[in-house]
Amino acid sequence: VQRRLAEHEAGGKKAARFLRGKTPLQLLFSQAVGSRSAALRAEAAVKKLPKPAKEQLLAGTLTLDQVLSANQ
């Protein structure tokens, strides 16, 4: 996670175009989920959430497990 965040901040080839020039970036949420495929599924599920649900996730009133179970 730290390597990917550093790549996005540096704005290199692997950095998302959307994030280029938007430094400094801040990592607000991180959770271990097991395998890479589970992490990609979790990331996609979080990206699909509306903004209020993402804010609940950050505040701790909504868990990643709840998001993933609702998404299945």
Side-chain angles (χ1 to χ4, degrees):
V1 173
Q2 296 303 324
R3 177 189 56 82
R4 288 184 64 207
L5 185 61
E7 285 175 357
H8 287 303
E9 285 182 335
K13 291 181 184 179
K14 293 187 176 185
R17 286 187 183 163
F18 180 81
L19 297 176
R20 290 182 189 167
K22 293 185 170 51
T23 54
L25 300 175
Q26 186 178 17
L27 181 64
L28 297 178
F29 182 81
S30 178
Q31 182 175 333
V33 292
S35 67
R36 180 181 172 100
S37 62
L40 291 174
R41 282 194 302 273
E43 182 181 8
V46 170
K47 284 183 177 182
K48 290 179 184 178
L49 290 175
K51 186 174 181 176
K54 289 177 188 174
E55 290 172 346
Q56 289 178 342
L57 189 63
L58 292 176
T61 57
L62 182 66
T63 66
L64 186 58
D65 291 332
Q66 290 171 326
V67 171
L68 295 175
S69 65
N71 199 29
Q72 291 180 359

